Amino acid sequence: MNGIRVIAFDADDTLWDCQTYFDVVTEQMCDLLRPWADHDTSWQELLRTESKNLPLTGFGCKAYILSVIETAIRVSHEEIGAKAVGALIQSCYGLLNLPAEPLPEVEETLRTLRSWIDGGRLPVRLAVFTKGDLLNQRHKLDRSGLATLFDWVEITANKQADDFLTLCSHLAIRPEELLMVGNSFKSDMAPALEVGCAGLHIPFHAEWEMEQVEVFDHPRCRRLTHFGQVLDFVKPALR
């Protein structure tokens, strides 16, 4: 914590559950496509579609919806009926209204950090730094009830090294003054470490295949097993 001025938190699968809801819809798609392909084939075809579409659609729920529909039509050789496609669309719309209920220990931990900051014991700011659709991510943050605990919210199209440098510029800090907390090593840890930030990695039990990457040790990165351990890491910096 020496020199840290901002603690930034990822949102999806760090503050609230997201991936498991997407997996449910993917399973539904695979079930509907069983007349044309087995489960694993349909799942992999969706990943292939998402990978192809990412440069155009970016990340987020709306991009996922387009990929699901495209995959269903392609795998079924355009034979899937309008009723089945409609059912998929309705399930995908449900993803736009996820409950965004904070994961265990998240709200208590953030409120404790907020009390330390407001009480002058912890000289840092709290930020949300997440990628995806702007409107959808904003709505989830509002529904979570956590929005008032943060000093800064930044939603970006991607999370690469340059995006972390842009965040630091917006916050008027140097990269080494940022501590990133998140579940994805690919998006939250690796690019942050590349530019000089520090990281707290809190893996989530469900992970999108396109976020999977080989995890490596780094002197500026610590792996935590549960969210409440953030407090243990921060306590030595208390005044």
Side-chain angles (χ1 to χ4, degrees), residues 74-113:
R74 184 179 70 251
V75 171
S76 71
H77 311 293
E78 301 183 358
E79 295 175 1
I80 192 169
K83 185 176 180 179
V85 172
L88 282 175
I89 291 174
Q90 287 305 310
S91 296
C92 288
Y93 269 120
L95 297 175
L96 293 171
N97 292 290
L98 296 184
E101 180 179 350
L103 289 167
E105 302 182 353
V106 166
E107 184 170 2
E108 304 94 311
T109 299
L110 291 175
R111 290 195 180 280
T112 298
L113 290 173

Side-chain angles (χ1 to χ4, degrees), residues 154-175:
E154 186 147 339
I155 300 167
T156 182
N158 206 345
K159 270 187 181 175
Q160 298 179 340
D162 286 346
D163 300 297
F164 277 90
L165 291 176
T166 299
L167 173 66
C168 291
S169 176
H170 291 167
L171 292 167
I173 61 172
R174 300 187 303 275

Side-chain angles (χ1 to χ4, degrees), residues 12 41 51 60 78 94 124 185 194 212:
D12 292 336
T41 297
S51 180
E78 301 183 358
V124 303
F185 200 88
E194 180 182 341
Q212 294 176 0

